[in-house]
């Protein structure tokens, strides 16, 4: 098993997970359950972030934090369990905006984050603070501290992400997507440090929506380059099973963009970035003949046992790919990003 430099406790090096909200957070939780806390860094999409009711809202970060802290609502997947909605009801009584539902418990996160940011402290600092306060041992980092916003180009014009996703319930036809600010956004410092860690074991792209949740990462040229050049295994878990999205509007968006809803399309989407793809066992035939290593296994995560099994299998697959590339070209599997490259980042 090639898993980077062992730490003083003999643990393999860290795993970097890239994820969006509800769907991806399930695998991040599985990884959290099977790894030691210090072995996991979760980098989270911030393209969905927005300012609403004068508050700074980071939905995917909060979903990952609540999920790993064990306080996420198990049915909705977003927001907190045992939520009450008195604030929202009172806001509605005053004729305020209620299309984006902020629960009473959840509200504290937005108020405190807004205060942090107003005092010039970054989103990375707030995420680390909130994770620590809620008892999470793993590191949770926003993909960037800079402003980067996903804009959905539709037949009805351009819509900011949450207006498309929540207010319009993904109804408008998508013709394109753009990631405002991506060209100049810098990946978060901890994300770059983790990517350049010689002990890094693997990079896992969680089964999040490639267009809405992962492309905002890849739209940052520096990050796309660093992932493409990484000597470590980069493994994606497909977000679709048998031609349908596991969660959310991925298949609707792919159809509207004229992209076949297949695991082949996912492999093509991540070409040049990934060196392994995990697809559902039911899609084994379709994935046969892909030009990258494929692991076929049940990928639907309904229970804790499902999440843990998938996390373990993904890690073993990554280790196997690292071992194969080490055997083919000894030494290259552990080459870190060099300092000149780090400076460029
Ligand atoms: N999703 C909804 O479908 N409706 C909501 O009213 C809503 C409110 C909300 C509040 C806080 C939060 O952290 C997430 C919230 N989400 C809501 C989820 C969010 O819009 C999406 O899941 C993500 O942005 C997509 O990953």
């Amino acid at each position: 098993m090639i898993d980077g430099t062992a730490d003083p406790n003999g643990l393999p090096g860290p795993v970097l997970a890239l994820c969006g909200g509800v769907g991806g957070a399930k695998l991040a939780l599985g990884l959290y359950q099977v790894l030691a806390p210090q072995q996991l860094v979760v980098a989270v999409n911030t393209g969905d972030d927005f300012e609403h009711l004068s508050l700074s809202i980071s939905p995917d970060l909060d979903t990952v934090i609540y999920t790993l802290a064990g306080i996420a609502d198990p049915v909705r997947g977003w927001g907190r369990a045992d939520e009450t909605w008195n604030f929202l009801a009172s806001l509605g009584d005053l004729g305020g905006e209620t299309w984006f539902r902020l629960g009473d418990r959840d509200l504290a996160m937005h108020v405190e984050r807004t205060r942090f940011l107003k005092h010039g402290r970054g989103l990375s600092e707030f995420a680390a603070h909130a994770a620590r306060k809620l008892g999470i041992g793993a590191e949770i980092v926003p993909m960037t501290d800079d402003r980067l916003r996903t804009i959905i180009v539709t037949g009805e014009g351009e819509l900011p992400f949450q207006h498309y996703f929540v207010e319009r319930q993904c109804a408008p036809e998508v013709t394109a997507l753009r990631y405002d600010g991506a060209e100049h956004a810098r990946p978060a410092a901890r994300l770059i440090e983790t990517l350049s860690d010689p002990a890094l074991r693997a990079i896992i792209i969680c089964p999040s929506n490639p267009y809405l949740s992962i492309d905002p990462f890849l739209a940052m040229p520096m990050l796309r380059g660093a992932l493409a050049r990484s000597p470590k295994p980069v493994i994606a878990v497909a977000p679709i099973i048998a031609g349908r999205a596991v969660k959310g509007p991925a298949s609707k968006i792919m159809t509207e963009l004229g992209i076949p809803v297949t695991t082949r399309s996912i492999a093509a989407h991540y070409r040049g970035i990934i060196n392994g793809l995990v697809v559902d066992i039911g899609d084994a035939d379709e994935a046969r003949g892909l030009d990258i290593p494929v692991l076929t296994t049940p990928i639907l995560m309904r229970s804790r046992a499902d999440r843990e099994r998938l996390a373990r299998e993904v890690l073993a697959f990554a280790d196997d790919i690292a071992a194969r590339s080490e055997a083919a070209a000894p030494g290259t599997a552990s080459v870190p990003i060099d300092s000149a490259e780090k400076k460029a980042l």
Side-chain angles (χ1 to χ4, degrees):
M1 179 165 85
I2 304 287
D3 48 22
T5 313
D7 83 349
N9 304 317
L11 288 173
V15 169
L16 173 64
L18 310 184
C19 83
V22 181
K26 285 190 183 181
L27 184 59
L29 179 58
L31 291 165
Y32 187 51
Q33 284 161 342
V34 303
L35 292 166
Q38 67 270 31
Q39 285 180 294
L40 178 64
V41 179
V42 185
V44 184
N45 170 42
T46 55
D48 302 7
D49 291 15
F50 74 137
E51 287 70 42
H52 181 61
L53 306 176
S54 303
L55 296 170
S56 299
I57 316 266
S58 296
D60 286 358
L61 258 181
D62 294 350
T63 296
V64 172
I65 290 174
Y66 292 152
T67 301
L68 266 57
I71 57 175
D73 183 274
V75 178
R76 290 190 310 274
W78 55 267
R80 292 189 58 156
D82 302 321
E83 189 57 281
T84 53
W85 304 92
N86 299 305
F87 161 75
L88 201 73
S90 305
L91 186 64
D93 293 342
L94 294 170
E97 277 188 68
T98 55
W99 61 270
F100 193 77
R101 296 167 58 208
L102 295 178
D104 300 332
R105 290 175 192 275
D106 183 36
L107 195 53
M109 184 71 105
H110 311 301
V111 169
E112 191 59 0
R113 174 172 37 237
T114 304
R115 191 181 68 82
F116 252 68
L117 298 181
K118 278 222 170 93
H119 284 84
R121 300 165 82 179
L123 193 55
S124 286
E125 189 184 343
F126 179 72
H129 164 81
R132 197 173 49 248
K133 285 288 183 189
L134 293 175
I136 300 170
E139 268 188 78
I140 299 181
V141 295
M143 64 180 193
T144 178
D145 283 84
D146 295 335
R147 187 186 170 87
L148 191 163
R149 297 286 182 267
T150 300
I151 305 291
I152 318 294
V153 185
T154 76
E156 304 174 23
E158 295 200 343
L159 292 171
F161 181 88
Q162 297 297 345
H163 289 267
Y164 163 79
F165 194 86
V166 175
E167 191 175 27
R168 300 298 315 278
Q169 299 280 296
C170 307
E173 187 182 338
V174 177
T175 56
L177 293 114
R178 54 182 197 82
Y179 308 96
D180 229 18
E183 197 61 29
H184 301 292
R186 289 153 304 164
R190 277 299 295 146
L191 173 50
I192 288 307
E193 277 166 25
T194 307
L195 267 174
S196 3
D197 183 347
L200 182 65
R201 180 177 176 185
I203 300 154
I204 312 294
I205 300 180
C206 293
S208 297
N209 186 310
Y211 308 92
L212 301 181
S213 302
I214 303 299
D215 278 3
F217 287 85
L218 303 179
M220 288 185 277
M222 290 171 186
L223 187 59
R224 187 177 189 100
L227 287 169
R229 285 192 308 272
S230 175
K232 305 296 179 173
V234 184
I235 309 296
V237 179
I240 55 176
I241 299 179
R244 293 186 55 185
V246 175
K247 180 119 194 81
S251 48
K252 178 177 182 284
I253 293 175
M254 290 173 83
T255 306
E256 289 167 355
L257 293 175
I259 300 166
V261 187
T262 62
T263 50
R264 283 184 169 270
S265 298
I266 303 298
H269 188 78
Y270 290 135
R271 179 157 295 131
I273 301 285
I274 59 171
N275 21 52
L277 180 66
V278 181
V279 307
D280 191 67
I281 192 113
D283 289 323
D285 282 349
E286 185 195 297
R288 203 158 288 132
L290 280 177
D291 56 0
I292 50 164
V294 172
L295 171 70
T296 52
T297 186
I299 60 172
L300 196 61
M301 291 171 278
R302 284 202 183 93
S303 63
R304 180 185 175 112
D306 290 342
R307 287 191 299 270
E308 291 189 5
R309 178 198 43 78
L310 184 60
R312 284 187 209 285
E313 287 186 7
V314 170
L315 292 173
F317 181 51
D319 291 342
D320 184 47
I321 287 172
R324 280 195 252 166
S325 84
E326 176 68 16
T332 54
S334 58
V335 177
I337 295 176
D338 70 25
S339 50
E341 276 179 304
K342 232 190 263 181
K343 265 200 200 123
L345 289 166

